[in-house]
Amino acid sequence: MAAVPALLLFLVLHGAFFHDVATGGRSLSAATLTAGLTPRGPVDAPLDRSAPHLLDVEGAAWVDEPRAAFAAGELPLWNPGAGLGAPLAANLNSGAGNPLQLPLNLAPTPRAADLFYLGRLLLLALFTWAFLRELGVTSVAALVGATMVPYGGYPMAWIAHHPLSTEIFLPLMLLGFERGRRGRAGGWILLVLAATGSLLGGKLQASLLCFG
């Protein structure tokens, strides 16, 4: 039950930090910013359509945002409309095998993408809070630490990109390891499940860093 106040706090922070996305009609989706093959949209377009708050706008739209494969009765294994026709199953960055991304794959809309991106931050906050509490950190300090991690520079800079699907599991892996090291029930199982979630996230390089 101790997690309920933490969850409520993070939901309030989400509403405060992302009110323009939640109710203001804005989106974290980069799809509308990549009309052509250059950061400015179509070749020789006069207006700069880049999004300064998003790193690698083209990658976010072509790789990280799914296409309507399920709606067309297809598995998200190959889609010639994705970046340079790359096979989605072979390009793990696309999240074709990520169970957390299944709702987004089923309904690939800007609103669903926003919920997916914000949901990852919420999980990162909760996992970090749980890990800090496992270490014996006080409730207030755990909340402060769990606020700094998801709303800090790195997650904000890469909020719409695939590495976060892997890296959100790092504090959960640490939590499982700490519980297992202390001989608490289910600790090693939690570590295995968190490691599996990290691998399914689709960024194997990031998983390697998490394991390190």
Side-chain angles (χ1 to χ4, degrees):
M1 295 300 295
V4 174
L7 174 60
L8 293 177
L9 172 63
F10 298 135
L11 288 175
V12 170
L13 290 176
H14 260 46
F17 294 152
F18 302 103
H19 61 89
D20 55 341
V21 176
T23 61
R26 294 190 175 183
S27 176
L28 296 167
S29 168
T32 59
L33 302 171
T34 55
L37 301 179
T38 71
R40 294 177 178 272
V43 176
D44 298 328
L47 298 178
D48 185 359
R49 296 173 56 84
S50 62
H53 61 286
L54 286 179
L55 300 178
D56 188 13
V57 175
E58 289 74 21
W62 291 344
V63 176
D64 299 326
E65 295 193 29
R67 304 308 188 267
F70 283 114
E74 305 170 354
L75 292 175
L77 305 179
W78 176 277
N79 187 339
L84 302 181
L88 300 186
N91 182 3
L92 296 179
N93 293 339
S94 65
N98 182 4
L100 292 181
Q101 196 167 314
L102 181 59
L104 178 56
N105 285 328
L106 290 172
T109 64
R111 174 57 64 182
D114 291 334
L115 293 175
F116 174 67
Y117 300 145
L118 297 182
R120 291 191 304 191
L121 289 185
L122 184 62
L123 287 178
L124 179 58
L126 289 173
F127 293 163
T128 303
W129 173 84
F131 170 56
L132 293 176
R133 291 296 291 153
E134 181 68 24
L135 292 179
V137 176
T138 64
S139 298
V140 174
L143 289 173
V144 172
T147 299
M148 294 175 63
V149 171
Y151 304 117
Y154 178 83
M156 289 294 97
W158 295 100
I159 186 172
H161 293 280
H162 48 271
L164 279 183
S165 292
T166 287
E167 292 156 348
I168 60 173
F169 289 100
L170 175 56
L172 194 62
M173 292 168 62
L174 295 172
L175 171 61
F177 179 84
E178 189 64 22
R179 285 187 175 181
R181 184 182 69 84
R182 296 181 179 185
R184 296 189 58 181
W188 299 122
I189 294 177
L190 180 59
L191 174 60
V192 171
L193 292 176
T196 302
S198 176
L199 290 171
L200 292 176
K203 192 67 174 179
L204 297 183
Q205 303 95 311
S207 292
L208 180 60
L209 292 176
C210 291
F211 295 153

